[in-house]
């Protein structure tokens, strides 16, 4: 019996991946940071036998057969890296440290944890020591695009861009050694405006970009924003960072609204919260910005040293706009040596 334990964080993209080409390759490069407290955990056991591979999947200790087709598909797509687990019994037990449908991307962390776990169990059975982060990120990508940015830590770029040598459409790469210390301790407070499931899956959202009337424009904008963001992160420039962050959040939603069919993913409280954030920032001159995923919830981003002034503002003016006043206080995770 072989056994491994792995975990992977969720991430939030500042420049968004929205639209695919080929086999799960991005239309443009995206850049995100991983989160500290929002983690998927996975324990995998493998019992050897010559029988056809059998998978048992448990989520939070409960059997969840509805997830099996996704896992089987994942294993099939990655079979060239999983040659030691073609038979026997695989027992997978997974859990998240954060609530489901809270605006935190669980597909990114869970697919990244699955990729790390399956890669490790395969290595352990074969007695192989090497850990290749590019292969693991590539495996995760085939489960969920954004998961390619969750197998590593901190600032991770996924997608080929002229702005960064070694960048690839196939896997994410950490760029932490290029990041100014101003961006090493960002706070990410998630305003949970709605707890329910998303009204449109990201799979459908990506597909809608194929024939989107603004596809060319979006590509240009994403390429411009990657360049701007990398430069702001290097310089420690929070003002430029803010410009990119908010333009990307609004574009993602505008692209969804102008798709055919169109989807409005913000809630009225999302817009009310954004107005309050802008007003608070203008009157207090606090470096504070926000981004959105493909849903109504807001990721409020600010440097750690601003927490003293931002937290009372969240409690008084933003939490009342959230479902059950729910706010999740998370922050960036950076590799230990940083
Ligand atoms: O990884 P997917 O297919 O769930 O797509 C993620 C898309 C966004 O979360 C909206 C943006 C991103 O880059 O994470």
């Amino acid at each position: 019996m072989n056994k491994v334990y792995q975990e992977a964080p969720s991430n939030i993209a500042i420049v968004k991946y929205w639209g695919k080409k080929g086999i799960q390759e991005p239309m443009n490069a995206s850049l995100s940071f991983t989160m500290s407290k929002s983690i998927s955990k996975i324990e995998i056991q493998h019992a050897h036998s010559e029988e056809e591979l059998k998978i048992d999947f448990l989520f939070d200790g409960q059997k969840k057969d509805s997830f099996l087709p996704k896992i089987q598909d994942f294993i099939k797509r990655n079979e060239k890296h999983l040659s030691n687990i073609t038979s026997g019994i695989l027992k997978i037990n997974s859990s998240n440290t954060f609530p489901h449908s809270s605006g935190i991307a669980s597909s990114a962390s869970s697919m990244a944890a699955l990729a790390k776990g399956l890669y490790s169990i395969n290595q352990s059975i074969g007695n192989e020591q090497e850990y290749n982060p590019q292969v693991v990120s590539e495996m995760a990508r085939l489960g969920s695009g954004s998961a390619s940015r969750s197998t590593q830590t901190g600032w991770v770029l996924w997608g080929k861009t002229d702005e960064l040598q070694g960048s690839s459409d196939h896997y994410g790469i950490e760029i932490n050694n290029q990041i100014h210390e101003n961006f090493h301790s960002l706070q990410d407070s998630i305003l949970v405006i709605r707890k329910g499931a998303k009204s449109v899956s990201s799979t459908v959202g990506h597909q809608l970009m194929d024939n989107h009337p603004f596809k060319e424009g979006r590509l240009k904008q994403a390429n411009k924003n990657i360049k701007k963001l990398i430069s702001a992160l290097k310089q420690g420039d929070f003002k430029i960072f803010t410009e990119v962050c908010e333009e990307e959040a609004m574009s993602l939603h505008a692209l969804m609204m102008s798709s055919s069919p169109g989807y409005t993913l913000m809630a009225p409280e999302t817009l009310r919260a954004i107005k309050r954030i802008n007003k608070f920032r203008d009157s207090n001159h606090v470096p504070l910005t926000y981004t959105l995923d493909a849903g109504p919830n807001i990721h409020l981003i600010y440097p750690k040293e601003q927490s003293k002034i931002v937290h009372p503002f969240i409690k008084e003016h933003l939490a009342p706009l959230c479902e059950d006043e729910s706010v999740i206080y998370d922050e960036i995770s950076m590799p230990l040596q940083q």
Side-chain angles (χ1 to χ4, degrees), residues 30-216:
S30 57
L31 181 47
S32 63
F33 63 80
T34 55
M35 288 147 78
S36 244
K37 297 179 194 154
S38 304
I39 308 259
S40 290
K41 301 177 172 188
I42 200 160
E43 198 185 84
I44 304 185
Q45 293 178 21
H46 181 261
H48 178 77
S49 92
E50 296 303 326
E51 311 258 301
E52 196 186 337
L53 185 69
K54 180 178 176 296
I55 304 168
D56 270 346
F57 180 76
L58 289 90
F59 187 76
D60 279 340
Q62 305 280 327
K63 226 171 171 338
K64 268 263 168 13
D65 287 346
S66 56
F67 279 50
L68 284 177
K70 244 192 161 165
I71 294 171
Q72 280 154 348
D73 193 41
F74 183 91
I75 292 178
K76 195 154 180 40
R77 282 178 162 208
N78 285 302
E79 62 190 358
K80 68 174 178 201
H81 301 299
L82 301 174
S83 55
N84 298 326
I85 46 172
T86 51
S87 65
I89 300 173
L90 206 54
K91 192 168 173 186
I92 304 176
N93 202 338
S94 170
S95 63
N96 294 336
T97 59
F98 54 94
H100 186 59
S101 303
S102 55
I104 299 172
S106 63
S107 66
S109 57
S110 56
M111 283 297 160
L114 185 64
K116 286 172 83 172
L118 290 174
Y119 179 86
S120 312
I121 195 101
N122 190 69
Q123 297 287 88
S124 138
I125 296 165
N127 232 336
E128 293 157 38
Q129 305 299 325
E130 184 212 18
Y131 185 89
N132 186 333
Q134 288 179 358
V135 168
V136 182
S137 171
E138 189 164 356
M139 286 173 67
R141 182 195 106 228
L142 294 174
S144 168
S146 56
S148 67
R149 303 184 310 246
S150 270
T151 53
Q152 295 166 83
T153 309
W155 290 95
V156 179
L157 179 131
W158 166 46
K160 182 101 195 92
T161 163
D162 293 342
E163 305 309 314
L164 206 86
Q165 257 201 344
S167 56
S168 168
D169 285 342
H170 293 187
Y171 47 80
I173 46 172
E174 279 186 17
I175 60 163
N176 297 308
N177 58 2
Q178 306 198 30
I179 307 287
H180 190 282
E181 62 177 353
N182 289 358
F183 292 106
H184 284 201
S185 58
L186 289 182
Q187 304 298 291
D188 180 5
S189 299
I190 299 127
L191 310 175
V192 186
I193 303 281
R194 291 280 190 280
K195 287 184 178 165
K198 289 194 264 185
S199 58
V200 60
S201 72
S202 53
T203 310
V204 170
H206 290 295
Q207 274 166 10
L208 289 169
M209 285 309 291
D210 289 344
N211 297 311
H212 200 288
F214 304 143
K215 185 173 171 177
E216 289 301 304

Side-chain angles (χ1 to χ4, degrees), residues 207-253:
Q207 274 166 10
L208 289 169
M209 285 309 291
D210 289 344
N211 297 311
H212 200 288
F214 304 143
K215 185 173 171 177
E216 289 301 304
R218 167 58 192 156
L219 258 176
K220 271 199 191 136
Q221 181 190 49
N223 292 336
K224 175 201 77 180
N225 280 342
I226 273 287
K227 189 175 176 157
K228 244 176 117 171
L229 179 60
I230 292 175
S231 158
L233 293 174
K234 280 183 181 163
Q235 307 295 322
D237 190 329
F238 203 89
K239 191 168 167 286
I240 304 283
F241 174 76
T242 299
E243 278 174 26
V244 175
C245 214
E246 294 175 19
E247 189 177 297
E248 283 289 312
M250 289 306 182
S251 274
L252 174 66
H253 283 257

